[in-house]
Amino acid sequence: MNDDRRAGERADFLPSGAGEFEERAFERAGGERSSILIVDDLPEKLLVFGAVLEDLHQELVFVRSGVEALREILKREFAVILLDVNMPDIDGFETASLIRRYKKSAHTPIIFITSYADDEQTRRGYALGAVDFILSPVVPEVLRTKVKVFVELHTMQQRVRRQGDERGARMAAEAAMRVAEDNTRRSHFLSHASRMLGTSLDVASSERDLLDLLLPRSASLALLLRTEGETGPQRALLGSIGPGEGDVAQMAMLPTGGLGAALQEALAATLDSGLRLTLDEAALAGFNAAAFGLPGAAVLRSAVLVPLASARRKLGVLLVACEQTDASSGPRDWTILEELASRAAVAFENAELYRSLQSENAERTAAEAKLQEASRRKDEFLAMLAHELRNPLAPIRNALELIRRLAPPDAKLGWARDVMERQVKHMTRLVDELLDVARISEGKITLTREPVDLKAVIEHSVETAQPLIDEHRHVLQVKLPDSPVWLQGDFARLSQVVGNLLHNAAKYSGDGGRIALTLTVANGEALITVRDHGIGIEAALLPHVFDLFAQGARSLDRSQGGLGIGLTLVRRLVELHGGQVQAASEGSDRGTEFRVRIPAISVVQCPPGPGTGAALLARTSKRRVLVVDDNRDAAESIAQFLELEGHEVKSVGDGMLALASVPVFMPQVVLLDIGLPGLSGYEVAKRLRGMPSMQDTLLVAVTGYGQREDRQLAADAGFDHHFVKPTDPRQLAELIGNWASDQTQARPGGATTSRRLGPL
């Protein structure tokens, strides 16, 4: 490091005359209260500042923006202003610039609070008349001491101003200038120290940087004792500087056993207690740079030891020694040294953590790279294999078709042709499954989402799997709801899911077995269950049954066939639809049950029988329905169901969007959630009822609040009906249909029905 630059950037933490001025100002205070302005947009930080400064017994004024700060400055005079640099409306620097434009606050001391202050920020702040920068998180003693100085200075200035004592005012100004210079020097030093210590994440470099910060102006000799854990080995780094102005600091690692018994005892006491310790010349006898082969003072007369500790553990002790005693050098302010030690401890721990993480990350990265490369090669191989297997299948199928058309009729030839056709179909199915798995792994499969009736999906899948079921003489029992079951999905892929489960059940059940397929709907989910009474799944295999190529123990003949791909494909396709699949088995020869759960809208009721055509027409008449719910899935599922019922539906996520949609969409029915962000559902309902166009609108509360008082609040807000979540969409559709029918019947000549349909 350049010697001249180092001398300019370091700060001597021995301020001249600061303690004497503080005592004199405190005696003159006389119990008078000054005002302190604290500006920060975070309430938790304001709370911290209040807790730190309340012991000063002054008037604390808290504001959360630069605009509020300017208003307060117009009202009163402040002894000091604590100003956050980063604020949302106007930042701290802009606020300080505006503060300086007012005559009353042109010279009010400003202390900037910031989490980071580089050279540019520091120059800008001091150009605006800042007296100090304090890095966040603040050290309570440092903040309280600095603010106290300016409060007492302000009190003194007020007294002097009232008494007309020009001499006292001049002395106060000079003292304030000295304090400001000391604070500026401290701030520069700590800012430079933070940057220097935080630049390198190498532990050894950070240790040397710490000693280099202290030598030569703040100390003649510095010793850093580091520990490895609470009881681990210790190492010592000694730094010293020669008597000449051009000398640079020299450092050496020392054996801790050579430090002397008295000094070792003092270091251990500081490390154990975590408190600062001062040593005199007697305790330092024989301890100097020359004893360890370094240039420097032969006699050290005073020293201070401060602990290096983070929030988690003790990292060591810092010793700073000088050639002068306290009496000859004036009052010492060791607070800055303790703060430097605290920042150094954080830097050391960060460097150690970084070194540990580097090692762990290197090992983890290497392992992940190997896994990713293996997975990539596997996916590429599967895709290549599937494509290559498709090439010979096409001509084989074409050749079989030519044989069918051109070969003469012959029973044996027909039998051979049928065998080949069955095997080609089986091979084609295996290749298709292999290709699908490869596409999903590579992210190349996209679903064609559209309204799909699961009943139709299952009927199509049964038709596809029926030849294999008949071949093994299985009995298939299918149980479906009487009404359609709608969801948003891909018909072909859902058919593939059910078909694979049926093929799996048929393959792993002995001839003449029983297979049960059921579909039910509850709580917004469709449940597809496929149950067989076949060979079952071993307990060890059950957790891995959906893994790629996973198969149970097979006999040598592998009579069931397959590659272990079908169930993997089932799981991945179900997950693409937002669902999940589970397998259950009581063990070998106890059968297997697969359960597929997929989000669905609901069961759509069958239309009424003959004779209710008028009611059906009224219930299915188109209405404009506005759905307001911050739960996107809930809003969209209700909207899709009502669209299937024939209504025009719009869904929004909060009350303000609902109010903005009314003039354009003109809803006839509003389904409104109560617990909305911003405006509550009650407030939205009141505002809707205040619009002339919404007086006769059907207003329905759909909410999780179902107590008696909640229903009364809904009634008072203007709701017509109150439903508690989870709500059956069929009930909502029925309510809208009945309301539409009542509206139609009650207005034959343009008359308007009553808004209230019944009790909530």
Side-chain angles (χ1 to χ4, degrees), residues 113-135:
I113 308 293
T114 180
S115 58
Y116 175 75
D118 56 19
D119 292 336
E120 178 61 29
Q121 282 189 326
T122 305
R123 284 195 295 270
R124 185 179 178 188
Y126 287 125
L128 292 171
V131 298
D132 205 352
F133 273 81
I134 295 181
L135 293 180

Side-chain angles (χ1 to χ4, degrees), residues 602-625:
S602 184
V603 176
V604 180
Q605 294 296 315
C606 293
T612 59
L616 176 63
L617 180 62
R619 293 187 184 189
T620 58
S621 58
K622 184 176 182 180
R623 289 292 183 269
R624 291 186 302 276
V625 183

Side-chain angles (χ1 to χ4, degrees), residues 80-330:
V80 63
I81 299 173
L82 303 182
L83 184 57
D84 183 25
V85 172
N86 297 314
M87 292 187 295
D89 51 353
I90 56 176
D91 65 23
F93 294 128
E94 295 172 336
T95 303
S97 177
L98 295 172
I99 288 174
R100 293 306 187 209
R101 296 182 185 180
Y102 296 102
K103 183 177 180 180
K104 183 189 300 184
S105 58
H107 302 289
T108 303
I110 297 177
I111 298 176
F112 282 110
I113 308 293
T114 180
S115 58
Y116 175 75
D118 56 19
D119 292 336
E120 178 61 29
Q121 282 189 326
T122 305
R123 284 195 295 270
R124 185 179 178 188
Y126 287 125
L128 292 171
V131 298
D132 205 352
F133 273 81
I134 295 181
L135 293 180
S136 178
V138 299
V139 178
E141 293 80 8
V142 174
L143 177 63
R144 191 182 300 113
T145 300
K146 292 183 178 183
V147 172
K148 180 181 178 182
V149 169
F150 290 104
V151 168
E152 293 173 351
L153 175 62
H154 179 262
T155 302
M156 180 186 298
Q157 289 174 336
Q158 292 294 93
R159 283 172 168 260
V160 170
R161 188 183 304 165
R162 289 195 297 268
Q163 296 170 0
D165 186 354
E166 295 181 359
R167 181 172 177 274
R170 187 166 56 255
M171 291 176 59
E174 292 173 355
M177 184 62 69
R178 289 197 300 272
V179 173
E181 290 174 355
D182 287 339
N183 286 336
T184 300
R185 188 163 58 251
R186 291 191 187 100
S187 297
H188 276 301
F189 173 68
L190 290 175
S191 297
H192 170 65
S194 295
R195 290 193 299 273
M196 190 171 181
L197 293 171
T199 299
S200 174
L201 287 174
D202 178 69
V203 177
S205 297
S206 298
E207 292 173 347
R208 291 180 174 270
D209 288 341
L210 174 61
L211 297 191
D212 196 52
L213 284 165
L214 298 169
L215 302 170
R217 295 187 61 187
S218 297
S220 302
L221 180 144
L223 173 70
L224 176 61
L225 178 72
R226 288 296 313 278
T227 60
E228 298 291 342
E230 296 293 338
T231 59
Q234 298 181 343
R235 66 182 188 278
L237 177 65
L238 181 70
S240 180
I241 195 160
E245 292 186 359
D247 290 346
V248 296
Q250 297 188 28
M251 303 181 193
M253 297 299 298
L254 305 180
T256 56
L259 296 176
L263 186 56
Q264 288 191 51
E265 184 178 350
L267 290 168
T270 303
L271 184 64
D272 292 339
S273 66
L275 301 175
R276 186 178 72 228
L277 180 64
T278 303
L279 300 180
D280 57 15
E281 185 175 347
L284 295 169
F287 176 66
N288 54 49
F292 300 99
L294 296 178
V299 179
L300 300 171
R301 293 184 170 83
S302 64
V304 65
L305 289 79
V306 293
L308 290 167
S310 69
R312 296 192 303 169
R313 65 186 180 92
K314 301 172 182 177
L315 288 88
V317 179
L318 177 63
L319 180 149
V320 176
C322 301
E323 299 176 57
Q324 302 85 15
T325 62
D326 289 349
S328 63
S329 61

Side-chain angles (χ1 to χ4, degrees), residues 566-585:
L567 293 181
T568 301
L569 191 60
V570 166
R571 182 182 64 181
R572 297 189 181 182
L573 289 176
V574 169
E575 289 174 349
L576 286 175
H577 282 85
Q580 59 181 351
V581 59
Q582 297 172 323
S585 176

Side-chain angles (χ1 to χ4, degrees), residues 611-645:
T612 59
L616 176 63
L617 180 62
R619 293 187 184 189
T620 58
S621 58
K622 184 176 182 180
R623 289 292 183 269
R624 291 186 302 276
V625 183
L626 178 63
V627 179
V628 187
D629 199 319
D630 60 325
N631 186 321
R632 183 177 178 182
D633 292 337
E636 291 184 354
S637 60
I638 292 179
Q640 291 171 3
F641 180 85
L642 294 177
E643 286 175 352
L644 292 175
E645 291 287 307

